[in-house]
Amino acid sequence: MGAKLGGGGGSRYTVQQNSDINVTPFVDIMLVLLIIFMVSAPMATVSIKLDLPPASAPVTQEKQKDPVFVSIQDKDLYYIGTKQVTIDIMAAELAAALQSANPTDERVLVRAQPDVEYEEFMKVLNELQENGYFKIGLINEDIS
């Protein structure tokens, strides 16, 4: 708290309480912080060279194939496209449906009804992975 000497009535050596805010320390601290930020800001904006790909995708001439869906409707009720299959012949039927020289390099999309148990879903995924299908996409949509 500051004190005020002199002023209005009373004796020359009477000390009164000063209720004015002393802003000098506040201004000093703000100026020091301003200088620190002015010195450190250019160091924080160091540029890094990035090699980004072009904004437009190259035009491909090859025709995109329609995706092949493996659908799980119910317990032991599986479809590849619209053809019903069993878990034992699923890999062979999937290779035929993909119509590719190397079918295990193609992406396979798997979807299931909401009421299908997790065990059935994992049985299909494990069967596909055991036969070399590792590019598996999961589809979240209603099967009608």
Side-chain angles (χ1 to χ4, degrees), residues 32-51:
V32 169
L33 289 174
L34 177 67
I35 292 170
I36 290 171
F37 286 125
M38 286 173 58
V39 169
S40 64
M43 288 185 267
T45 58
V46 176
S47 63
I48 298 173
K49 183 172 180 357
L50 295 176
D51 293 327

Side-chain angles (χ1 to χ4, degrees), residues 21-67:
I21 297 174
N22 189 2
V23 294
T24 304
F26 177 73
V27 171
D28 290 344
I29 291 173
M30 288 297 119
L31 289 174
V32 169
L33 289 174
L34 177 67
I35 292 170
I36 290 171
F37 286 125
M38 286 173 58
V39 169
S40 64
M43 288 185 267
T45 58
V46 176
S47 63
I48 298 173
K49 183 172 180 357
L50 295 176
D51 293 327
L52 296 175
S56 61
V59 179
T60 59
Q61 297 297 329
E62 69 183 49
K63 184 178 182 275
Q64 295 289 334
K65 291 190 220 178
D66 289 334

Side-chain angles (χ1 to χ4, degrees), residues 3 8 16 20 24 30 38 52 60 67 74 84 86 90 95 97 104 109 118-120 123 128 131 142-143:
Q16 297 176 349
D20 294 336
T24 304
M30 288 297 119
M38 286 173 58
L52 296 175
T60 59
D74 202 6
Q84 185 174 352
T86 62
M90 183 177 289
T104 56
L109 302 176
Y118 180 74
E119 179 183 4
E120 287 296 313
K123 184 166 45 168
L128 292 174
N131 289 293
D142 291 336
I143 303 173

Side-chain angles (χ1 to χ4, degrees), residues 91-140:
E93 291 292 329
L94 186 57
L98 287 170
Q99 299 173 352
S100 175
N102 196 357
T104 56
D105 287 341
E106 300 291 326
R107 182 171 302 279
V108 178
L109 302 176
V110 179
R111 60 185 174 185
Q113 288 287 4
D115 56 342
V116 171
E117 293 184 12
Y118 180 74
E119 179 183 4
E120 287 296 313
F121 186 75
M122 288 308 297
K123 184 166 45 168
V124 170
L125 290 183
N126 289 335
E127 180 68 24
L128 292 174
Q129 288 181 350
E130 285 174 6
N131 289 293
Y133 295 97
F134 294 108
K135 294 183 178 180
I136 299 173
L138 304 179
I139 303 296
N140 182 18

